[in-house]
Amino acid sequence: MRRHTVVIAVALALTLVASGGTAGAASRAAPREAAGSSGASAGLSAAMTCDQLAKADFSTVPDAPTAVMSAKLVAATPDVAEHCEVSAYVTPQVQFTLNLPTRTWNGRYYQTGCGGYCGSIAADQISACVDAVKGGFAAAATNDGHVSTSRFDGLWAFKDRDAVVDYGYRAVHVVSVASKAIVQTFYGRSPEKSYFQGCSDGGREALMEAQRYPDDFNGIIAGAPAFLFSYLVAAHNLGDQRANRDAAGRQIIGPDQVRILERAVLARCDRLGDGIVSDPRNCSFDPGVVQCRADGQTDCLTPEQVAAARKMYQGPVNRRGVGLYPGAGDGPGVKFPGSEGAWLAWQVAAPDAALSRNGFTADQYLKYFAFDRPPGPGYDTGDFDWNRDLQKISKSAQILNSADPNLDQFHAKGGKLILYHGWGDTAIPPTGTLWYYNQLQQRYGGLEKVQRWARLFMLPGVYHCNGGPGPDQFDFLGQVVAWVEQGAAPNRVVGSHLTNGAVDRTRPVFPYPTRAEYSGHGDVNNEASFVGVTPSTPPDDDFRWIIDPRS
């Protein structure tokens, strides 16, 4: 559950959307241009100084008593306009930062999500806020109500259900309320429009906002959302750990075996020779094709390694063979061909480590905040029984999961939702997002009606939130602003891939299920060489898994 690196290029994106085009994520523009391109207020100035704001009393903000700890003026640079950097907290300990342009506010509020188990306002959140300030937004980020040693440390939650509630849904909401109160005081007026963007756990938070607090934001961007939190961590992540360990606890598949699988998949399914499996659903691959056939053979997998790989592709099931995550069991699997490079980050443990990253997230959840009575540091996750214990974590699931397809209020108030997910994601399987989007279609009358206000973009060759051979830099913020404020729905969004800071590949994505296909002419690394193609038969994303009554 990692950070998102969706670059904000608001001004150019909005200008091009208004004229029928799109902008790649690598572009930059001045805040005043960003404000003027969509009709929002341009170049608004503060009504007070940072010093005055630091002395203001926000302890009576309804449902979000707030204290400003500091407010300091940050001088303008060639890249970022002058702004007031506010450090504050909402009781009891929901810490947040709020950056307020002093002369270039565009009238909008932006809030970014937090990754993993949060516990700090990390560099990626700060960077997202700085990028938003460049576009003229007032921008905020929070630690979700607790402090921790890392984004995957769960000790903070031990026997503290209020902290779990803050992390689950309260913190993002109260920071929105508090930040808007501070914005009102600083500028003398409230934001005209508000936007939320998050990936991974931030994507979970994004959907939580649309479900629980539909009035907080006009436009929401949910990337690779961890919205099936309890099933993701206690089933999928734990399943990865179990699948890749033998009876003695030794890791079965290591980096060498991952690279063998990756080469075999690309040899079979990389039609353009660019290292990307463009349509992984059409890639039929079984790891048995690389099983060793003779003694002493190298560059192959043992039968034990093949079996482990199959389990990881397919995902966890209970004793009846029912999938414990969308896509597992009788579905397409939870990991698609072309995702193997991401296994090195999430499924394969570091040398001599007992747990992979996915295994560690499961360990921390089950020890410290899954159960009503958390067992604590002495708990052995090997004792967790999917057939018996999933029901025992249902109360934490009610706090943490944001899987409700009821977005009636958000939809009715004109809210717009952009979902995105990398096909190569192995930290949070893309099948969950596909399943959720299918649930929206079932509730709201089919794809055409849902696409009027909620659109999904699937990113070929992209791992968890970012990384991988595919373009992973997209200006979805510019797209959702144009959609909310101009009614310009995102039909074609161009992404960029960077190597050493330079763009070396661009490619468009289209609203799912339309996919980008090579036109047969031009450079395969140039977005102009691709067209959108909608399959004649809609994909079946109505996965049967453990929560489905049909299972």
Side-chain angles (χ1 to χ4, degrees), residues 88-270:
Y89 73 90
V90 179
T91 57
Q93 280 298 317
V94 181
Q95 299 173 16
F96 67 99
T97 60
L98 175 63
N99 296 282
L100 303 165
T102 56
R103 299 183 181 89
T104 57
W105 185 44
N106 63 17
R108 303 185 185 99
Y109 171 69
Y110 169 87
Q111 189 169 324
T112 185
C114 197
Y117 295 155
C118 205
S120 66
I121 299 172
D124 61 289
Q125 294 170 278
I126 295 171
S127 177
C129 288
V130 168
D131 279 345
V133 170
K134 290 178 184 179
F137 292 78
T142 175
N143 73 341
D144 277 359
H146 62 272
V147 295
S148 58
T149 59
S150 77
R151 286 207 165 169
F152 300 103
D153 163 28
L155 182 61
W156 57 269
F158 192 31
K159 298 182 180 180
D160 190 347
R161 191 46 57 106
D162 287 342
V164 176
V165 169
D166 278 348
Y167 169 69
Y169 56 84
R170 178 179 175 268
V172 170
H173 168 61
V174 296
V175 166
S176 168
V177 173
S179 293
K180 291 172 187 175
I182 295 173
V183 165
Q184 167 71 46
T185 298
F186 190 64
Y187 296 111
R189 56 184 292 180
S190 298
E192 296 173 27
K193 300 292 181 183
S194 298
Y195 299 91
F196 185 89
Q197 180 176 22
C199 193
S200 192
D201 191 71
R204 180 191 66 84
E205 295 168 354
L207 290 180
M208 191 71 82
E209 278 293 304
Q211 293 162 23
R212 285 183 179 260
Y213 305 105
D215 294 326
D216 282 356
F217 298 98
N218 304 97
I220 291 175
I221 304 159
F227 70 102
L228 292 168
F229 187 98
S230 61
Y231 297 98
L232 172 72
V233 183
H236 172 263
N237 291 10
L238 182 60
D240 279 343
Q241 176 69 19
R242 289 177 172 177
N244 201 28
R245 294 283 164 169
D246 63 17
R250 295 183 296 261
Q251 186 161 256
I252 299 170
I253 293 177
D256 291 344
Q257 290 73 44
V258 169
R259 295 186 182 100
I260 291 169
L261 289 167
E262 183 177 36
R263 288 194 295 268
V265 166
L266 292 178
R268 187 178 186 90
C269 299
D270 177 12

Side-chain angles (χ1 to χ4, degrees), residues 13-14 17-18 38 195 477-489:
L14 291 178
V17 167
S38 70
Y195 299 91
L477 178 58
Q479 297 291 331
V480 81
V481 168
W483 198 4
V484 167
E485 299 179 17
Q486 300 176 0

Side-chain angles (χ1 to χ4, degrees), residues 68 190 244 369 434 460 468 527:
V68 172
S190 298
N244 201 28
F369 60 113
L434 294 171
E527 55 88 10

Side-chain angles (χ1 to χ4, degrees), residues 531-550:
V531 295
V533 175
T534 304
S536 56
T537 302
D540 181 10
D541 298 325
D542 189 17
F543 306 128
R544 296 189 182 190
W545 61 296
I546 190 67
I547 72 168
D548 192 320
R550 297 172 298 179

Side-chain angles (χ1 to χ4, degrees), residues 509-535:
V509 290
F510 299 89
Y512 183 80
T514 299
R515 61 179 180 267
E517 287 198 2
Y518 180 56
S519 65
H521 306 283
D523 184 356
V524 298
N525 291 319
N526 189 324
E527 55 88 10
S529 304
F530 290 82
V531 295
V533 175
T534 304

Side-chain angles (χ1 to χ4, degrees), residues 484-513:
V484 167
E485 299 179 17
Q486 300 176 0
N491 292 315
R492 184 177 187 273
V493 187
V494 175
S496 302
H497 180 274
L498 282 68
T499 299
N500 297 324
V503 175
D504 56 10
R505 173 175 292 159
T506 59
R507 184 170 294 188
V509 290
F510 299 89
Y512 183 80

